[in-house]
Amino acid sequence: EHEMMERAERLMDANPDSALKLMEAIVVDSLTVVEHRAHYSILMAMARDKNDLKVEEDSSLRNALSFYEKKNDRLREAQAHFYLSVFHRDKDERALEYAELSKALQCIPKVESRFGVLIHSKMAYLFLRTGLYGEAKELFQKEMVISEKTGDNDLYADAICQIGYCMYNLRNDSAIGYLRKGYDLLEKLPPIKNKSRILPHSCAFLGQYYMMMNKYDSIEFFARRGLETSAYYVDSMNATYNLAYAMAATGRLDSASMMLHKLSQSPYMVHKQKAYRGLSDIESARGNLSKAWEYERLSTLFFDTLVVQNQSVDVLNMVKKCKLVQEQQLKEKGRRRTLVAISFLVLLILLLMLYYLRRVSQHKKVLQSTQLYLEESKGEAERQSQVIKTMKERMDRMDAQLGELDELENKKKMMLLERRMLVQERLEEVEAYRKLLCMVNETEHFGEVHTRMEERDWTQLMRYVDSQMDNICLRLFSEKEMKQDDVNFCILLLLNFSHINMANIMNCTRSAIYKRERYILQHRFGITDKDKRLKDVLLEMVKKEI
């Protein structure tokens, strides 16, 4: 019997129907060990829940909970609370359902796990069913963050869909973005059980969103997609309602009526209510007011208790109560920790006192020997102070020399500045340079260039640059095997012309200038680093020679 339970637990996620058959084959009276009975209670509740069957009995789960609490098995304790919440969910006792989920979350060994994500998801669904969309959205966001960390892609995509659905009910324009993103993520997942359960939810949410937008083609598309992917009865009924809505809105009343009659056979009250309300609207459109009134009366018999105001009040009160209990537990834990810490400190103080008394007698002996050592050290300290004094004098002399070096450095900077000014003055006397400035001015004022650079002008500039920068142009010809156009490009960079001015001078676009610069760097200098600038490379080349 124990081996059958272990096998059923392994099959629970991939084949829940097979797991349920195995659990039903076990004779409960044959389980004489208390631990096996507790394990059986949890696995049976798990199998029924995964097969969309109600958990109808809670006493065995409470016995299992008591056993695992005594054993301090936190994971099984959390599972017992979780399936007690399922029991209360099936009885529509939402406040008690929230209380059990909250306890499960407190017992779970690791919140950032798939089980932790599921608990957050169930709490969020509870708020969603109760019409507390703001609270549901916050919990679905927590589910999204944790599932992203744990790598549970199906739960991550489902959380995004649910956030979009909450936003849709809160009339937030961002809803469609979340709904479409979640749907796209689910479409990309491999065909696993979880996806086949979650994807129809996404289709149903998108269908409801497009109902509000009156986009009937989109409603019908996602309804049919939901029917294709539905592996469970509830999901197919939701898709059936959306498809019937789209057909009725586009004039296909007979087809819509047939689908709504099918929906009315669902065992779930919410489906019956939707079906009869839809049939009432169709008969009103046909003019059959008596039938419409009868269907409207039937819809009120299956009023969805999910939106009853008392339920939301009870749930919110339970949320407050659970928070108070958690705060009291934290305070109690804090008090216990404080008492333990105080006890530890008292014991530590006593040990320190004993240690202190023991060490005092030892220190007296050490003190005597230390005095003798201090006297010997006194002479050594005097010698060390003399050495320090000598070193201080040397440091003073070094500081004076550093001051002189700083003064020389400042003079060097002044000379460099004067040299740059002289170079600029000489450059402005060069006729070819004045031509370049004239071309820049013509572009800025007239939008076109009339002046043109001749070969002799480039030769004059090259001579000037070589005279100021250690024959860099000649070295570019000889060492880098550059052509005349490439050297002219480098001359403009060295003369501090911007890329815009260079484009005007060379009668091309700025992008061509950038491409030319990357070409020279790669093919002439062998540099592929995109952060490197040609001007910096040229200046480094000049500095190395200088």
Side-chain angles (χ1 to χ4, degrees), residues 83-190:
Y83 287 106
L84 279 169
S85 77
V86 174
F87 169 77
H88 291 300
R89 180 200 68 194
D90 293 338
K91 294 178 73 67
D92 203 22
E93 297 169 344
R94 294 180 205 176
L96 296 175
E97 178 188 353
Y98 178 85
E100 294 297 340
L101 287 171
S102 180
K103 291 174 184 176
L105 198 60
Q106 296 300 312
C107 294
I108 190 171
K110 187 179 179 184
V111 175
E112 291 186 357
S113 63
R114 185 174 179 86
F115 191 28
V117 177
L118 285 172
I119 294 173
H120 278 99
S121 179
K122 294 296 182 184
M123 294 174 81
Y125 272 116
L126 171 61
F127 286 137
L128 193 66
R129 299 196 325 266
T130 314
L132 303 170
Y133 300 112
E135 290 81 353
K137 177 187 166 189
E138 292 177 6
L139 279 174
F140 281 126
Q141 287 172 334
K142 286 184 181 178
E143 178 190 356
M144 180 183 70
V145 172
I146 299 174
S147 59
E148 187 176 18
K149 290 180 181 178
T150 56
D152 292 307
N153 296 327
D154 53 331
L155 296 178
Y156 175 74
D158 180 51
I160 291 176
C161 288
Q162 301 294 352
I163 292 169
Y165 186 63
C166 292
M167 287 183 168
Y168 158 72
N169 284 283
L170 293 169
R171 297 298 184 264
N172 189 316
D173 293 338
S174 303
I176 187 61
Y178 280 91
L179 291 169
R180 289 309 300 256
K181 181 181 177 182
Y183 176 81
D184 292 340
L185 288 173
L186 288 166
E187 278 282 279
K188 294 175 184 176
L189 287 177

Side-chain angles (χ1 to χ4, degrees), residues 126 185 199 222 226 232 361 367 406 444 532:
L126 171 61
L185 288 173
L199 184 59
F222 286 109
Y232 293 87
S361 61
L367 187 60
D406 289 339
E444 291 177 354
K532 204 76 172 176

Side-chain angles (χ1 to χ4, degrees), residues 18 21 55 65 123 182 195 204 239 271 274 331 341 354 390 432 442 446 462 517 533 538 543:
S18 301
K21 289 178 181 178
V55 178
L65 176 61
M123 294 174 81
K195 179 192 171 185
H271 292 154
K274 286 182 177 180
K331 288 179 181 177
L354 290 172
T390 306
E442 286 175 354
F446 305 109
M462 185 173 67
E517 182 176 0
R533 296 173 56 212
L538 294 170
K543 288 177 184 177

Side-chain angles (χ1 to χ4, degrees), residues 243-270:
L243 183 58
Y245 180 92
M247 286 180 171
T250 52
R252 291 170 285 176
L253 299 182
D254 292 337
S255 299
S257 179
M258 183 178 65
M259 300 195 79
L260 289 172
H261 278 295
K262 179 182 177 182
L263 183 65
S264 67
Q265 302 304 312
S266 170
Y268 297 97
M269 288 189 297
V270 65

